[in-house]
């Protein structure tokens, strides 16, 4: 079945540091890829998405590129802020009418002032 | 837009009792709602998919008689944990997919409900 693998956490960075969170996937079809963010005490929010190979999703300074050849969707940000502290989930969805999301384990990011 | 609410946000109950959790789409109609369970420091595990007006589809290993799901309208789905036991303690999250689904079938998530069974 489909699966998503995220790098182990937690990750602690200083403000303005560069961020990379790795995500790889296995899928039988041609999935859409997502990054979700969960701020403390809140529900998951869609951060960015990509629906086909070589697409780059971007939002709030975060970027991720759909790499079909390496089955990866790594999340990057050039300069993190304290307000980016949250849990980040990589996910994929197949394309059927009853498509479901498959999540990675999530990684906690803490940004120090 | 696209707000999903859950009620209650947390609940503590005694072993053997039943607990109902509501999931509402506040500003859109949802043909499909999903129920997830999240264990500490782990990912979200899909429990069931709920389509308005029809029976829910449960994932393998999820007891349908234990976790009753009702999707009575396009804005409301409920999850009832029947005869709850301490091992049912968890964080339950719902999501909703809009009636006019986009090409990537985006789901909007509720804030979750923390269930503690004593």
């Amino acid at each position: 079945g489909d699966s998503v693998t995220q790098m182990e956490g937690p990750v602690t960075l200083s403000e303005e540091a560069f961020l990379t969170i790795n995500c790889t996937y296995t899928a039988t079809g041609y999935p859409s890829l997502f990054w979700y963010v969960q701020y403390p005490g809140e529900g998951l929010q869609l951060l960015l998405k990509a629906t086909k190979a070589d697409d780059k999703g971007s939002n709030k300074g975060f970027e991720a590129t759909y790499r079909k050849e390496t089955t990866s969707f790594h999340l990057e940000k050039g300069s993190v802020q304290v307000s980016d502290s949250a849990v980040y989930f990589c996910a994929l969805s197949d394309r059927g009418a009853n498509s479901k999301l498959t999540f990675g384990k999530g990684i906690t990011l803490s940004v120090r002032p | 837009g696209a707000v999903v609410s859950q009620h209650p946000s947390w609940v503590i109950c005694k072993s053997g009792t039943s607990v109902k959790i509501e999931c509402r789409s506040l500003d859109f109609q949802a043909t499909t709602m999903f129920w997830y369970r999240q264990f500490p420091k782990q990912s979200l595990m899909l429990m069931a998919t709920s389509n308005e007006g029809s029976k829910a589809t449960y994932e393998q290993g999820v007891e349908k008689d234990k976790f009753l799901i009702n999707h009575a309208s396009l804005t409301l789905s409920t999850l009832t944990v029947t005869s709850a036991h301490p091992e049912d303690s968890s964080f339950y999250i719902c999501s909703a997919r809009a009636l006019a689904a986009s090409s990537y079938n985006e789901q909007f998530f509720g804030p979750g409900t923390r269930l503690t069974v004593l």
Side-chain angles (χ1 to χ4, degrees), chain A residues 36-40 84-89 105-109, chain B residues 38:
Chain A
Y36 282 85
V37 59
Q38 186 177 29
Y39 297 104
D84 294 326
S85 298
V87 182
Y88 292 82
F89 293 91
K105 286 191 173 181
I107 187 169
T108 300
L109 170 66
Chain B
Q38 185 180 24

Side-chain angles (χ1 to χ4, degrees), chain B residues 30-33 49-56 69-77:
Chain B
T31 46
T32 306
M33 287 185 171
T49 302
S50 165
N51 289 297
E52 186 265 339
S54 61
K55 289 184 179 180
I69 291 173
N70 184 286
H71 192 161
S73 76
L74 285 172
T75 59
L76 173 64
S77 176

Side-chain angles (χ1 to χ4, degrees), chain B residues 4-8 20-26 33-35 70-71 73-79 93-96 108-111 113:
Chain B
V4 176
S5 70
Q6 280 185 242
H7 178 79
K20 180 185 283 188
I21 302 170
E22 292 186 349
C23 176
R24 293 181 185 272
S25 57
L26 297 184
M33 287 185 171
F34 302 85
W35 286 96
N70 184 286
H71 192 161
S73 76
L74 285 172
T75 59
L76 173 64
S77 176
T78 60
L79 167 68
I93 302 173
C94 74
S95 70
F108 300 96
F109 286 81
T113 296

Side-chain angles (χ1 to χ4, degrees), chain A residues 18-38:
Chain A
F18 183 84
L19 169 73
T20 299
I21 301 177
N22 290 341
C23 172
T24 57
Y25 68 91
T26 58
T28 52
Y30 190 176
S32 295
L33 302 175
F34 307 86
W35 276 100
Y36 282 85
V37 59
Q38 186 177 29

Side-chain angles (χ1 to χ4, degrees), chain B residues 12-47:
Chain B
I12 301 172
C13 69
K14 292 183 178 179
S15 187
T17 60
S18 294
V19 175
K20 180 185 283 188
I21 302 170
E22 292 186 349
C23 176
R24 293 181 185 272
S25 57
L26 297 184
D27 50 3
F28 66 100
Q29 292 183 316
T31 46
T32 306
M33 287 185 171
F34 302 85
W35 286 96
Y36 296 86
R37 187 171 176 176
Q38 185 180 24
F39 292 98
K41 298 183 190 268
Q42 294 193 33
S43 185
L44 281 73
M45 181 193 77
L46 180 64
M47 299 174 65

